[in-house]
Amino acid sequence: MGAGHRHQLYRPGGTPVHRLPPQCKLAASAGFTLVVVATPREWFWAFGVYAALLAGVACVARVPAGFVLRRMVVEVPFVAFALAVPFIGLGERVSVMGVSLSVAGLWAAWNILAKATLGVVASILLAATTEPRLMLLGAQRLRLPPLLVQIAMFMLRYMDVVMEEMRRMRVARESRGFAARDVRHIPVIARSAGALFIRSYERGERVHLAMLSRGYTGSVPVIQDLTASSRQWFAAGMLPGTALAVLLGTWGLA
């Protein structure tokens, strides 16, 4: 993946959030998510403060609300599950607009929606302000398992290559008059998928041999300085730090 590559989730910019080292943003996002998960579901106002914190980050990073909302579609399965819980939950029931709902199910649905939404928005803001390549380098700086980081790096680098190969195969089929319209065309699609797998596997072998011939010994060298200053760590820590202060303060008042 070249330096000019842009992922669909990434929104280029020169804001203070964009300029923070990736390891700082990764740690801040993880810390914020842990605080959100640790917050009791009954503390409604705490979740409101967390949402306001994320809105502040979005404003500083100049990430429009529409950009975030469009990418929250990944949360739809969680929303569907949460909406079903009050209907199938057990225990005490309450009538809402003539519909019998479980009280425990309502609390569970709120808990899932609130925490999942805040976690998804935090992830979207992280992806919108950090290039995927830098995000993986930041994970490497945080001493995440090297093998997992390398797998993610290679997947990210060659995913576009495989997608381009799939596009060429689709164009080749269509240029020969093929158009998948019903189940009768499934065997053709299946054969294409098998051919794509074989081509990708062979390409992977060639890439691996090329890496070995260039001195690859099992670790990817870091060619970009991603050191973070104490000031940058402090700036990134403001999000989880403020969230933690809200959590501890609320616990003290409870």
Side-chain angles (χ1 to χ4, degrees), residues 6 8 40 44 54 59 73 108 127 153 156 162 165 174-175 191-192 202:
R6 293 291 182 266
Q8 290 182 352
F44 297 104
L54 291 179
C59 289
V73 67
M153 281 184 174
L156 185 64
V162 175
E165 184 70 29
E174 293 177 353
S175 66
R191 286 193 292 270
S192 297
E202 291 176 345

Side-chain angles (χ1 to χ4, degrees), residues 13-29:
T15 68
V17 181
H18 284 80
R19 292 195 296 268
L20 283 175
Q23 62 267 34
C24 298
K25 289 184 278 188
L26 282 169
S29 297

Side-chain angles (χ1 to χ4, degrees), residues 156-194:
L156 185 64
R157 287 176 181 270
Y158 298 107
M159 183 169 57
D160 287 343
V161 176
V162 175
M163 294 297 292
E164 179 62 22
E165 184 70 29
M166 186 168 62
R167 187 193 67 81
R168 287 196 295 267
M169 293 174 65
R170 178 180 58 82
V171 171
R173 290 196 305 268
E174 293 177 353
S175 66
R176 290 166 174 80
F178 174 82
R181 295 190 180 90
D182 51 50
V183 295
R184 293 176 300 175
H185 297 123
I186 290 179
V188 177
I189 302 299
R191 286 193 292 270
S192 297

Side-chain angles (χ1 to χ4, degrees), residues 162 169 191-204:
V162 175
M169 293 174 65
R191 286 193 292 270
S192 297
L196 177 64
F197 173 79
I198 293 173
R199 292 184 185 183
S200 301
Y201 187 84
E202 291 176 345
R203 184 186 294 270

